[in-house]
Amino acid sequence: MARLIDIAKSARVSEATVSRVLNGRAGVNEATRRSVLEVARRMGRDAGPDAARGGPLVGVLVPDLDNQVFTAWAERIEAELFERGASTLVALRARTVEREREILQRFLHSGVEAIIVVSGHHAQERGPLDHYREVTAAGIPLVLINGVQDDLDAAFLSTDDEHAMHAVLVHLQELGHQRAGLAVGDEHTWPVREKLRAFESETADWAEQPQPVAFTDFSYAGGYEAARDLVERGATAIVCGSDVMAAGALEGVRSQGLSVPRDVSVVGYDDVFWASLTNPPLTTVRQAVGSIARAAVRTALSGGEESRRPARTQVVVQPQLIVRGSTAGAPDGAASMEW
C-alpha cells in the first residue's frame, strides 16, 4: 500500500494534507482534495468513504424559515454549495447577539471552512462585532448578506436598494401618484436605512412636504398597521419593505373601505413564491437571490490552503421590478392634489 509520503510527493503537498484528505477532514480546498484522491487511487491506496465525503463544510445562518424569502436563501445557498462538492451546516433563529455568537462558535468547533450569514446582527446599526471578528481571526472566510459594517473585514453582499426604490417610484410616478408612503421595519437596521435613504432621495422633489414613512416590523401585522397609518396620511401608493408586509397592507387598505389598486396601489419586496397568488397579484421587487447566493458561495470557497481569509469586499446586485395587478393609475384627482 502506498505510503503517505509517497502520495504527498506525487501530489506535491504535505503529508499532513494527505492525511486530512484520506481521513475526510476539513481544512483542504476542493481542488487539492481531488488531486490527492486521484493520486492515492492511482497508487493503489483505498481512499475510503470518509474521503469521498471530504468536501468543505460551510456554516449557513438564516433568521428563520417562516418568511419564505429566508427559505429561498437557505435553499439556493445549499444548492450552490452542493454543486461545488461542499456540505452545509444550517442554523436558525439567532434572536440575540449572544445566541448568534454561540452558533458561530459551534460552526467553528464543527470544523467549518467558511460561514455565510443572511440578515444577521451585522445589519444592526450599532450591533457588537466581536463575535464576527472571532471568526475572521480564526482565518475563516465570513460572508455577510444584506448588511454592511465599515469596521469589519468580511465579504458583504446585498441587494441594490437604491436601484429598487428608483424603479418602484418611477413606476408609481408614471401611474400619476404624487403621495407615496414607505412601510418598513426597525429604522436602526442597515436594510431599512438604505431603503429610507433611497426613498427620501427619490421623492425629494415630489412635493413641498416629505412623503410619509411608517416604521413597524417586517410582518403581516406590521404591514396592516402601516397601511392604515399611511392611508390616513393621504398616501395613494404604499411601498413595503417585504412581501409579507405587503400582504398585510392589502388587508389594511381594505379595512379602510378602500380597494387595491383602484384607490391605493401596493408594492412589495422580495417576490416570494406566493406573490403572484395574492388578490390582486402583487407588484414587487424581485431580489436576485440566486445570483447573490452564487456569489456568496464562490467568495466563501475562494480561499486556498494556507490562507482562507478573504480581503474585505462589498458587492451590490441589482433587483428587478415585477409589475402585477396591485398597482394602477392614481385615483381621480390625486395627481392634482397638493399636500
Side-chain angles (χ1 to χ4, degrees):
M1 182 174 65
R3 299 176 301 169
L4 294 185
I5 190 171
D6 299 326
I7 299 171
K9 287 180 178 179
S10 183
R12 298 182 179 181
V13 297
S14 67
E15 289 182 63
T17 296
V18 174
S19 176
R20 295 181 75 86
V21 171
L22 296 184
N23 288 287
R25 300 289 300 278
V28 182
N29 69 44
E30 185 64 11
T32 300
R33 186 183 73 85
R34 290 178 179 175
S35 176
V36 170
L37 287 175
E38 181 180 348
V39 170
R41 288 165 181 153
R42 189 171 64 241
M43 298 179 71
R45 179 75 178 239
D46 182 11
D50 288 338
R53 295 192 299 267
L57 177 66
V58 177
V60 178
L61 174 59
V62 295
D64 58 61
L65 298 181
D66 297 332
N67 187 331
Q68 286 78 12
V69 72
F70 296 134
T71 304
W73 280 115
E75 289 178 346
R76 289 309 311 159
I77 291 171
E78 192 280 333
E80 293 292 336
L81 287 167
F82 183 83
E83 286 295 318
R84 290 162 175 76
S87 300
T88 310
L89 186 60
V90 178
L92 310 170
R93 299 187 185 282
R95 301 298 192 194
T96 64
V97 173
E98 291 74 19
R99 170 73 170 170
E100 187 172 77
R101 181 182 185 277
E102 181 182 353
I103 290 172
L104 297 186
Q105 287 298 314
R106 290 187 181 187
F107 281 164
L108 294 179
H109 294 157
S110 298
V112 299
E113 296 190 38
I115 294 175
I116 300 172
V117 181
V118 180
S119 299
H121 288 275
H122 64 278
Q124 294 293 328
E125 185 175 11
R126 295 184 178 88
L129 303 177
D130 287 346
H131 60 304
Y132 295 123
R133 295 192 179 103
E134 291 171 357
V135 172
T136 57
I140 301 298
L142 178 63
V143 180
L144 303 174
I145 295 175
N146 286 343
V148 175
Q149 292 286 349
D150 294 334
D151 299 329
L152 184 63
D153 289 330
F156 300 93
L157 292 88
S158 56
T159 297
D160 189 339
D161 284 316
E162 184 173 352
H163 178 85
M165 282 296 167
H166 176 75
V168 168
L169 293 169
V170 166
H171 170 62
L172 293 176
Q173 271 198 313
E174 289 175 346
L175 293 173
H177 293 277
Q178 292 190 352
R179 187 68 169 171
L182 177 66
V184 284
D186 184 356
E187 61 186 305
H188 299 296
T189 62
W190 184 88
V192 170
R193 295 198 312 273
E194 287 297 294
K195 289 178 175 63
L196 177 62
R197 179 186 60 79
F199 178 81
E200 290 179 338
S201 175
E202 287 289 333
T203 60
D205 59 354
W206 277 33
E208 294 182 1
Q209 296 183 5
Q211 303 293 304
V213 178
F215 297 103
T216 56
D217 55 67
F218 289 110
S219 68
Y220 184 95
Y224 179 92
E225 293 300 330
R228 291 176 60 89
D229 175 34
L230 294 170
V231 166
E232 289 177 357
R233 293 159 70 182
T236 62
I238 299 172
V239 182
C240 298
S242 74
D243 287 343
V244 174
M245 288 189 80
L250 294 176
E251 191 58 34
V253 170
R254 295 187 189 107
S255 74
Q256 300 286 75
L258 301 174
S259 172
V260 177
R262 184 190 63 202
D263 302 307
V264 180
S265 290
V266 174
V267 181
Y269 195 107
D270 289 330
D271 195 29
V272 297
F273 77 90
W274 48 256
S276 62
L277 305 178
T278 57
N279 182 24
L282 194 60
T283 293
T284 187
V285 174
R286 176 181 293 166
Q287 288 199 71
V289 173
S291 297
I292 297 176
R294 192 174 307 114
V297 169
R298 184 170 59 246
T299 302
L301 299 180
S302 63
E305 274 188 77
E306 300 301 323
S307 178
R308 301 192 305 276
R309 181 176 176 179
R312 176 187 170 89
T313 57
Q314 184 173 338
V315 177
V316 293
V317 180
Q318 288 188 353
Q320 179 185 5
L321 176 64
I322 305 299
V323 178
R324 299 192 180 103
S326 66
T327 51
D332 292 341
S336 61
M337 286 177 137
E338 296 184 359
W339 299 92

